[in-house]
Amino acid sequence: MFISNREKPTFVDFDENALATTFYTSGTTGLPKQVCFSHRQLVLHTLALGAALGGRKGLGLRAGDVYMPLTPMFHVHAWGMPYLATMLGLRQIYPGRYEVDAILRWREAEGVTFSHGVPTVLQMVLGGAERLGIRLDGWQMLLGGSALTRDLADAARATGMTIAAGYGMSETGPVISIGEESADPYSTIRSGKPIPLVSAAIVDEEMKALPCDDAASGELVVRAPWLTPCYPGDEPASRDLWRGGWLHTQDIASIDEAGSIQIRDRLKDVIKSGGEWISSLMLEELIIRHPDVAEVAVVGVSDAKWQERPVAIVVATRDGVPTHEAINALLARFVEEGAISRFALLDDVMLVDALPRTGVGKIDKKLLRQALEAKSKPCSRNA
Protein backbone atom coordinates (compact mmCIF):
# COMPACT_ATOMS: atom_id res chain seq x y z
CA MET A 1 0.00 0.00 0.00
CA PHE A 2 1.39 3.43 -0.96
CA ILE A 3 1.58 6.01 1.82
CA SER A 4 2.10 9.67 0.87
CA ASN A 5 4.50 11.86 2.82
CA ARG A 6 1.53 13.62 4.40
CA GLU A 7 0.08 10.31 5.68
CA LYS A 8 3.38 8.75 6.71
CA PRO A 9 3.40 8.07 10.46
CA THR A 10 6.20 9.40 12.63
CA PHE A 11 8.62 6.66 13.62
CA VAL A 12 10.90 7.27 16.59
CA ASP A 13 14.18 5.41 16.12
CA PHE A 14 15.65 3.33 18.95
CA ASP A 15 18.60 1.06 19.62
CA GLU A 16 18.23 -2.31 17.87
CA ASN A 17 19.64 -3.94 21.00
CA ALA A 18 16.81 -2.57 23.14
CA LEU A 19 14.75 -5.19 24.94
CA ALA A 20 11.79 -6.33 22.84
CA THR A 21 10.23 -9.30 24.66
CA THR A 22 10.32 -11.14 27.96
CA PHE A 23 8.43 -14.28 28.96
CA TYR A 24 8.81 -17.41 31.06
CA THR A 25 9.85 -20.92 30.10
CA SER A 26 7.14 -23.57 30.28
CA GLY A 27 8.75 -25.29 33.28
CA THR A 28 8.00 -28.89 32.27
CA THR A 29 11.06 -30.24 34.13
CA GLY A 30 11.75 -27.48 36.68
CA LEU A 31 10.71 -24.02 37.82
CA PRO A 32 9.87 -21.56 35.03
CA LYS A 33 12.62 -19.01 34.30
CA GLN A 34 12.41 -15.61 32.63
CA VAL A 35 14.10 -15.14 29.25
CA CYS A 36 14.55 -11.99 27.16
CA PHE A 37 15.24 -10.97 23.56
CA SER A 38 16.18 -7.77 21.75
CA HIS A 39 14.66 -6.32 18.57
CA ARG A 40 17.85 -7.24 16.69
CA GLN A 41 17.56 -10.86 17.83
CA LEU A 42 13.96 -11.15 16.64
CA VAL A 43 14.88 -9.74 13.23
CA LEU A 44 17.84 -12.12 12.84
CA HIS A 45 15.72 -15.10 13.90
CA THR A 46 13.03 -14.12 11.37
CA LEU A 47 15.53 -13.78 8.53
CA ALA A 48 17.26 -17.08 9.32
CA LEU A 49 13.93 -18.90 9.66
CA GLY A 50 12.76 -17.46 6.35
CA ALA A 51 15.93 -18.61 4.63
CA ALA A 52 15.53 -22.09 6.11
CA LEU A 53 11.88 -22.52 5.15
CA GLY A 54 12.12 -20.79 1.80
CA GLY A 55 15.03 -22.73 0.37
CA ARG A 56 14.28 -26.34 1.17
CA LYS A 57 12.51 -29.32 -0.36
CA GLY A 58 9.17 -30.44 1.03
CA LEU A 59 7.69 -28.44 3.88
CA GLY A 60 8.34 -24.70 3.62
CA LEU A 61 6.78 -21.27 4.01
CA ARG A 62 6.81 -19.15 0.86
CA ALA A 63 4.97 -16.36 -0.97
CA GLY A 64 1.39 -17.40 -1.68
CA ASP A 65 0.98 -19.64 1.38
CA VAL A 66 -1.92 -19.14 3.78
CA TYR A 67 -0.75 -19.29 7.38
CA MET A 68 -2.70 -20.52 10.43
CA PRO A 69 -0.76 -21.02 13.70
CA LEU A 70 -1.83 -23.80 16.05
CA THR A 71 0.43 -22.88 18.94
CA PRO A 72 -0.40 -20.35 21.66
CA MET A 73 0.67 -16.83 20.75
CA PHE A 74 2.13 -16.30 24.24
CA HIS A 75 4.61 -19.16 23.93
CA VAL A 76 8.10 -18.43 22.50
CA HIS A 77 6.90 -15.79 20.00
CA ALA A 78 4.48 -18.39 18.54
CA TRP A 79 7.71 -20.04 17.30
CA GLY A 80 8.59 -16.78 15.50
CA MET A 81 6.29 -17.69 12.62
CA PRO A 82 3.93 -14.66 12.76
CA TYR A 83 6.93 -12.36 12.25
CA LEU A 84 7.95 -14.35 9.18
CA ALA A 85 4.40 -14.58 7.80
CA THR A 86 4.05 -10.81 8.15
CA MET A 87 7.42 -10.17 6.50
CA LEU A 88 6.32 -12.33 3.55
CA GLY A 89 2.95 -10.57 3.32
CA LEU A 90 0.97 -13.78 3.77
CA ARG A 91 -2.74 -14.07 4.51
CA GLN A 92 -3.01 -15.13 8.14
CA ILE A 93 -5.83 -16.98 9.92
CA TYR A 94 -5.97 -16.97 13.73
CA PRO A 95 -8.52 -19.58 14.85
CA GLY A 96 -8.87 -18.63 18.52
CA ARG A 97 -9.63 -21.57 20.78
CA TYR A 98 -8.28 -24.83 19.43
CA GLU A 99 -11.54 -26.59 18.59
CA VAL A 100 -10.89 -29.23 15.98
CA ASP A 101 -14.08 -28.73 13.94
CA ALA A 102 -13.47 -24.98 13.77
CA ILE A 103 -9.83 -25.53 12.78
CA LEU A 104 -10.88 -27.84 9.96
CA ARG A 105 -13.56 -25.39 8.78
CA TRP A 106 -11.06 -22.51 8.68
CA ARG A 107 -8.56 -24.70 6.87
CA GLU A 108 -11.10 -25.58 4.18
CA ALA A 109 -12.71 -22.14 3.84
CA GLU A 110 -9.47 -20.15 3.70
CA GLY A 111 -7.26 -22.64 1.88
CA VAL A 112 -4.73 -22.88 4.71
CA THR A 113 -1.41 -24.33 3.53
CA PHE A 114 0.91 -23.93 6.54
CA SER A 115 0.48 -24.46 10.28
CA HIS A 116 2.61 -25.44 13.25
CA GLY A 117 1.86 -27.10 16.57
CA VAL A 118 2.66 -29.86 19.01
CA PRO A 119 2.03 -33.53 18.11
CA THR A 120 -1.03 -33.54 20.37
CA VAL A 121 -2.69 -30.93 18.13
CA LEU A 122 -1.82 -32.95 15.02
CA GLN A 123 -3.35 -36.02 16.63
CA MET A 124 -6.50 -34.03 17.40
CA VAL A 125 -6.69 -32.74 13.81
CA LEU A 126 -6.26 -36.22 12.35
CA GLY A 127 -8.97 -37.58 14.62
CA GLY A 128 -11.35 -34.84 13.51
CA ALA A 129 -10.57 -35.42 9.83
CA GLU A 130 -11.21 -39.15 10.21
CA ARG A 131 -14.52 -38.50 11.98
CA LEU A 132 -15.62 -36.08 9.24
CA GLY A 133 -14.31 -38.29 6.43
CA ILE A 134 -12.11 -35.58 4.86
CA ARG A 135 -8.58 -35.50 3.47
CA LEU A 136 -5.98 -32.86 4.28
CA ASP A 137 -4.06 -32.60 1.01
CA GLY A 138 -1.87 -29.53 0.62
CA TRP A 139 -1.66 -28.79 4.35
CA GLN A 140 1.87 -28.47 5.73
CA MET A 141 2.52 -28.70 9.47
CA LEU A 142 5.73 -28.11 11.40
CA LEU A 143 5.77 -30.09 14.67
CA GLY A 144 7.70 -29.38 17.86
CA GLY A 145 7.46 -29.39 21.63
CA SER A 146 7.72 -33.17 21.94
CA ALA A 147 8.85 -36.15 19.88
CA LEU A 148 7.03 -36.88 16.61
CA THR A 149 6.54 -40.64 16.32
CA ARG A 150 6.70 -42.62 13.09
CA ASP A 151 3.11 -43.82 13.50
CA LEU A 152 1.78 -40.26 13.83
CA ALA A 153 3.87 -39.12 10.86
CA ASP A 154 2.54 -42.01 8.76
CA ALA A 155 -1.04 -41.21 9.75
CA ALA A 156 -0.59 -37.54 8.73
CA ARG A 157 0.97 -38.43 5.39
CA ALA A 158 -1.84 -40.89 4.67
CA THR A 159 -4.28 -37.93 4.70
CA GLY A 160 -2.15 -35.96 2.21
CA MET A 161 -0.37 -33.72 4.73
CA THR A 162 3.29 -32.71 4.51
CA ILE A 163 4.91 -32.75 7.95
CA ALA A 164 8.31 -32.15 9.48
CA ALA A 165 9.68 -31.90 12.99
CA GLY A 166 11.67 -29.00 14.36
CA TYR A 167 13.61 -28.29 17.51
CA GLY A 168 13.91 -25.30 19.80
CA MET A 169 13.20 -24.06 23.29
CA SER A 170 12.25 -20.88 25.10
CA GLU A 171 15.89 -19.94 25.59
CA THR A 172 16.61 -20.22 21.85
CA GLY A 173 13.84 -17.91 20.73
CA PRO A 174 12.99 -20.68 19.55
CA VAL A 175 13.96 -22.38 16.26
CA ILE A 176 17.32 -24.17 16.11
CA SER A 177 16.75 -26.93 13.55
CA ILE A 178 14.18 -28.42 11.15
CA GLY A 179 13.94 -31.96 9.77
CA GLU A 180 14.97 -32.24 6.11
CA GLU A 181 14.02 -34.68 3.38
CA SER A 182 16.52 -37.37 2.37
CA ALA A 183 16.55 -40.97 1.14
CA ASP A 184 15.29 -41.98 4.58
CA PRO A 185 11.50 -41.48 4.58
CA TYR A 186 11.63 -40.65 8.29
CA SER A 187 14.42 -38.06 8.08
CA THR A 188 11.87 -35.25 8.44
CA ILE A 189 10.80 -36.45 11.90
CA ARG A 190 14.34 -36.04 13.24
CA SER A 191 15.08 -32.84 15.12
CA GLY A 192 16.83 -31.82 11.92
CA LYS A 193 19.67 -29.70 10.58
CA PRO A 194 20.49 -26.32 12.14
CA ILE A 195 18.97 -23.34 10.35
CA PRO A 196 21.33 -20.59 9.08
CA LEU A 197 23.54 -18.87 11.70
CA VAL A 198 23.18 -21.75 14.20
CA SER A 199 26.14 -23.81 15.42
CA ALA A 200 25.42 -27.04 17.32
CA ALA A 201 27.55 -29.66 19.06
CA ILE A 202 27.18 -32.48 21.57
CA VAL A 203 29.47 -32.57 24.60
CA ASP A 204 30.18 -34.66 27.67
CA GLU A 205 30.03 -33.38 31.26
CA GLU A 206 33.50 -31.84 30.90
CA MET A 207 32.51 -29.94 27.71
CA LYS A 208 34.56 -32.31 25.54
CA ALA A 209 33.12 -32.53 22.02
CA LEU A 210 31.66 -35.92 21.05
CA PRO A 211 31.73 -37.45 17.55
CA CYS A 212 28.95 -36.76 15.03
CA ASP A 213 28.28 -40.41 14.14
CA ASP A 214 24.62 -40.64 15.29
CA ALA A 215 25.76 -43.16 17.91
CA ALA A 216 27.43 -40.99 20.54
CA SER A 217 25.04 -39.06 22.77
CA GLY A 218 25.72 -36.00 24.86
CA GLU A 219 24.24 -32.69 25.89
CA LEU A 220 23.30 -30.50 22.94
CA VAL A 221 24.95 -27.08 23.12
CA VAL A 222 24.24 -24.29 20.62
CA ARG A 223 25.28 -20.83 19.50
CA ALA A 224 23.24 -18.34 17.45
CA PRO A 225 22.91 -14.54 17.50
CA TRP A 226 19.34 -14.62 18.86
CA LEU A 227 19.71 -16.83 21.95
CA THR A 228 18.66 -15.35 25.30
CA PRO A 229 21.72 -13.80 26.97
CA CYS A 230 20.65 -14.69 30.51
CA TYR A 231 17.89 -15.48 32.98
CA PRO A 232 17.23 -11.96 34.32
CA GLY A 233 17.57 -11.84 38.09
CA ASP A 234 19.14 -15.31 38.33
CA GLU A 235 22.91 -15.01 37.97
CA PRO A 236 23.82 -18.60 39.01
CA ALA A 237 21.39 -20.11 36.47
CA SER A 238 22.62 -17.67 33.80
CA ARG A 239 26.23 -18.72 34.35
CA ASP A 240 25.25 -22.36 34.11
CA LEU A 241 23.19 -21.71 30.96
CA TRP A 242 26.23 -20.25 29.15
CA ARG A 243 28.95 -22.42 30.70
CA GLY A 244 31.92 -22.68 28.36
CA GLY A 245 30.58 -20.09 25.94
CA TRP A 246 27.76 -22.28 24.59
CA LEU A 247 24.08 -22.29 25.54
CA HIS A 248 23.34 -25.55 27.36
CA THR A 249 19.99 -26.96 26.25
CA GLN A 250 19.86 -29.75 28.88
CA ASP A 251 18.73 -32.06 26.07
CA ILE A 252 20.57 -35.28 25.30
CA ALA A 253 21.13 -35.63 21.55
CA SER A 254 23.13 -37.30 18.82
CA ILE A 255 24.26 -35.71 15.54
CA ASP A 256 24.86 -37.66 12.33
CA GLU A 257 27.58 -37.11 9.73
CA ALA A 258 25.30 -34.80 7.72
CA GLY A 259 24.76 -32.58 10.77
CA SER A 260 21.20 -33.70 11.51
CA ILE A 261 20.31 -33.54 15.21
CA GLN A 262 18.20 -36.15 16.98
CA ILE A 263 17.01 -35.36 20.50
CA ARG A 264 17.23 -38.49 22.63
CA ASP A 265 15.85 -37.18 25.92
CA ARG A 266 15.79 -34.34 28.40
CA LEU A 267 18.76 -34.46 30.75
CA LYS A 268 16.35 -34.43 33.69
CA ASP A 269 14.17 -37.13 32.09
CA VAL A 270 16.95 -39.66 31.43
CA ILE A 271 16.41 -42.60 33.78
CA LYS A 272 19.58 -43.76 35.55
CA SER A 273 19.14 -47.40 36.50
CA GLY A 274 21.71 -50.07 37.37
CA GLY A 275 24.54 -48.12 35.75
CA GLU A 276 22.53 -47.71 32.52
CA TRP A 277 21.07 -44.51 31.08
CA ILE A 278 17.57 -45.24 29.79
CA SER A 279 15.90 -42.86 27.35
CA SER A 280 12.31 -42.15 28.33
CA LEU A 281 11.63 -40.91 24.78
CA MET A 282 12.87 -44.19 23.28
CA LEU A 283 10.62 -46.20 25.62
CA GLU A 284 7.64 -43.99 24.76
CA GLU A 285 8.25 -44.47 21.05
CA LEU A 286 8.30 -48.26 21.50
CA ILE A 287 5.34 -48.49 23.91
CA ILE A 288 3.08 -46.40 21.64
CA ARG A 289 3.34 -49.23 19.09
CA HIS A 290 1.16 -51.41 21.33
CA PRO A 291 -2.32 -51.44 19.74
CA ASP A 292 -4.06 -50.72 23.05
CA VAL A 293 -1.94 -47.63 23.89
CA ALA A 294 -3.28 -44.23 22.81
CA GLU A 295 -0.79 -42.05 24.72
CA VAL A 296 2.14 -42.73 27.03
CA ALA A 297 4.67 -40.95 29.22
CA VAL A 298 7.61 -42.69 30.90
CA VAL A 299 9.28 -41.30 34.00
CA GLY A 300 11.84 -42.57 36.48
CA VAL A 301 10.96 -43.13 40.13
CA SER A 302 13.43 -43.45 42.98
CA ASP A 303 14.63 -46.96 43.84
CA ALA A 304 16.85 -47.89 46.80
CA LYS A 305 18.71 -50.60 44.87
CA TRP A 306 18.82 -49.32 41.26
CA GLN A 307 18.71 -45.52 41.88
CA GLU A 308 15.77 -45.13 39.47
CA ARG A 309 13.33 -47.41 37.69
CA PRO A 310 11.07 -46.68 34.68
CA VAL A 311 7.29 -46.47 35.07
CA ALA A 312 4.87 -45.91 32.16
CA ILE A 313 1.75 -43.79 32.56
CA VAL A 314 -0.64 -44.92 29.81
CA VAL A 315 -3.88 -43.71 28.26
CA ALA A 316 -5.63 -46.72 26.74
CA THR A 317 -7.47 -46.79 23.44
CA ARG A 318 -11.23 -47.25 23.38
CA ASP A 319 -10.77 -50.82 22.13
CA GLY A 320 -8.54 -52.32 24.80
CA VAL A 321 -6.63 -51.99 28.06
CA PRO A 322 -2.87 -52.74 27.95
CA THR A 323 -1.43 -54.67 30.88
CA HIS A 324 1.98 -54.34 32.48
CA GLU A 325 2.85 -57.83 31.25
CA ALA A 326 1.75 -57.12 27.66
CA ILE A 327 3.80 -53.93 27.41
CA ASN A 328 6.89 -55.58 28.88
CA ALA A 329 6.45 -58.46 26.41
CA LEU A 330 6.54 -55.89 23.61
CA LEU A 331 9.65 -54.26 25.07
CA ALA A 332 11.34 -57.64 25.55
CA ARG A 333 11.46 -58.04 21.77
CA PHE A 334 13.54 -54.88 21.52
CA VAL A 335 15.79 -56.07 24.36
CA GLU A 336 16.49 -59.22 22.34
CA GLU A 337 17.28 -57.10 19.26
CA GLY A 338 19.70 -54.98 21.29
CA ALA A 339 17.71 -51.77 20.77
CA ILE A 340 17.27 -51.22 24.52
CA SER A 341 18.83 -52.56 27.70
CA ARG A 342 17.13 -55.16 29.87
CA PHE A 343 17.10 -52.46 32.56
CA ALA A 344 14.54 -50.63 30.42
CA LEU A 345 11.80 -53.17 31.17
CA LEU A 346 9.11 -51.40 33.18
CA ASP A 347 8.61 -51.76 36.89
CA ASP A 348 4.99 -50.69 36.61
CA VAL A 349 2.28 -49.42 34.26
CA MET A 350 -0.29 -46.92 35.48
CA LEU A 351 -3.54 -46.44 33.56
CA VAL A 352 -4.96 -42.90 33.50
CA ASP A 353 -7.79 -41.17 31.68
CA ALA A 354 -5.59 -38.27 30.56
CA LEU A 355 -1.99 -37.11 30.84
CA PRO A 356 -1.42 -33.75 32.56
CA ARG A 357 -0.25 -31.04 30.18
CA THR A 358 1.21 -27.58 30.40
CA GLY A 359 -0.49 -24.53 28.90
CA VAL A 360 1.35 -25.12 25.62
CA GLY A 361 0.30 -28.77 25.26
CA LYS A 362 3.43 -30.54 26.50
CA ILE A 363 3.11 -33.53 28.82
CA ASP A 364 3.93 -32.30 32.33
CA LYS A 365 6.38 -34.95 33.52
CA LYS A 366 7.17 -32.90 36.59
CA LEU A 367 3.62 -33.43 37.88
CA LEU A 368 3.69 -37.12 36.94
CA ARG A 369 6.97 -37.64 38.76
CA GLN A 370 5.69 -35.86 41.86
CA ALA A 371 2.51 -37.94 41.85
CA LEU A 372 4.42 -41.21 41.50
CA GLU A 373 6.90 -40.29 44.20
CA ALA A 374 3.96 -39.60 46.48
CA LYS A 375 2.53 -43.02 45.50
CA SER A 376 -0.67 -41.46 44.19
CA LYS A 377 -2.57 -42.31 41.03
CA PRO A 378 -3.86 -39.14 39.31
CA CYS A 379 -6.97 -39.82 37.24
CA SER A 380 -6.27 -43.55 37.53
CA ARG A 381 -8.84 -45.99 36.26
CA ASN A 382 -7.55 -48.40 38.89
CA ALA A 383 -7.97 -45.97 41.76
Side-chain angles (χ1 to χ4, degrees), residues 152-355:
L152 187 57
D154 287 340
R157 288 167 177 158
T159 70
M161 295 185 75
T162 299
I163 51 93
Y167 169 76
M169 53 195 296
S170 296
E171 289 86 343
T172 64
V175 181
I176 289 296
S177 60
I178 299 174
E180 291 195 344
E181 289 188 350
S182 73
D184 178 1
Y186 293 107
S187 62
T188 56
I189 72 170
R190 290 176 64 90
S191 308
K193 291 184 179 180
I195 68 173
L197 305 183
V198 173
S199 296
I202 50 173
V203 299
D204 63 16
E205 293 179 352
E206 298 176 352
M207 282 295 292
K208 180 182 177 182
L210 298 173
C212 296
D213 57 7
D214 215 26
S217 293
E219 184 185 9
L220 179 67
V221 293
V222 295
R223 287 173 175 161
W226 55 77
L227 310 184
T228 189
C230 63
Y231 295 124
D234 193 336
E235 290 187 14
S238 298
R239 286 194 300 270
D240 193 49
L241 177 69
W242 279 100
R243 179 169 51 89
W246 291 77
L247 186 143
H248 288 253
T249 66
Q250 297 193 53
D251 282 324
I252 301 298
S254 61
I255 302 177
D256 68 15
E257 294 179 353
S260 177
I261 300 165
Q262 180 59 48
I263 301 299
R264 302 297 180 185
D265 213 341
R266 287 289 290 169
L267 195 57
K268 292 182 179 180
D269 289 339
V270 171
I271 300 164
K272 305 171 185 68
S273 184
E276 298 275 351
W277 278 31
I278 301 168
S279 168
S280 65
L281 293 183
M282 170 67 83
L283 282 181
E284 289 163 4
E285 183 178 344
L286 298 177
I287 293 170
I288 200 68
R289 299 183 189 185
H290 192 287
D292 294 332
V293 175
E295 292 183 280
V296 60
V298 174
V299 298
V301 295
S302 300
D303 184 272
K305 181 178 181 180
W306 302 108
Q307 186 179 356
E308 288 184 315
R309 292 295 302 143
V311 172
I313 301 91
V314 170
V315 177
T317 64
R318 285 179 289 183
D319 300 324
V321 178
T323 64
H324 181 191
E325 293 75 16
I327 292 178
N328 263 351
L330 171 67
L331 294 177
R333 300 201 326 249
F334 296 100
V335 173
E336 292 173 3
E337 295 173 4
I340 56 175
S341 162
R342 62 185 177 86
F343 286 98
L345 294 177
L346 303 173
D347 263 27
D348 196 10
V349 170
M350 177 184 294
L351 291 174
V352 298
D353 293 322
L355 295 173

Side-chain angles (χ1 to χ4, degrees), residues 121 123 345:
V121 169
Q123 199 167 35
L345 294 177

Side-chain angles (χ1 to χ4, degrees), residues 6-48:
R6 187 175 61 182
E7 297 171 327
K8 188 175 181 179
T10 302
F11 180 81
V12 179
D13 201 4
F14 55 88
D15 188 338
E16 65 177 357
N17 293 307
L19 190 65
T21 63
T22 61
F23 55 87
Y24 282 84
T25 64
S26 56
T28 50
T29 58
L31 292 175
K33 295 182 177 67
Q34 188 182 31
V35 293
C36 59
F37 300 89
S38 69
H39 291 273
R40 181 176 188 273
Q41 288 179 309
L42 297 184
V43 169
L44 289 172
H45 180 271
T46 302
L47 294 173

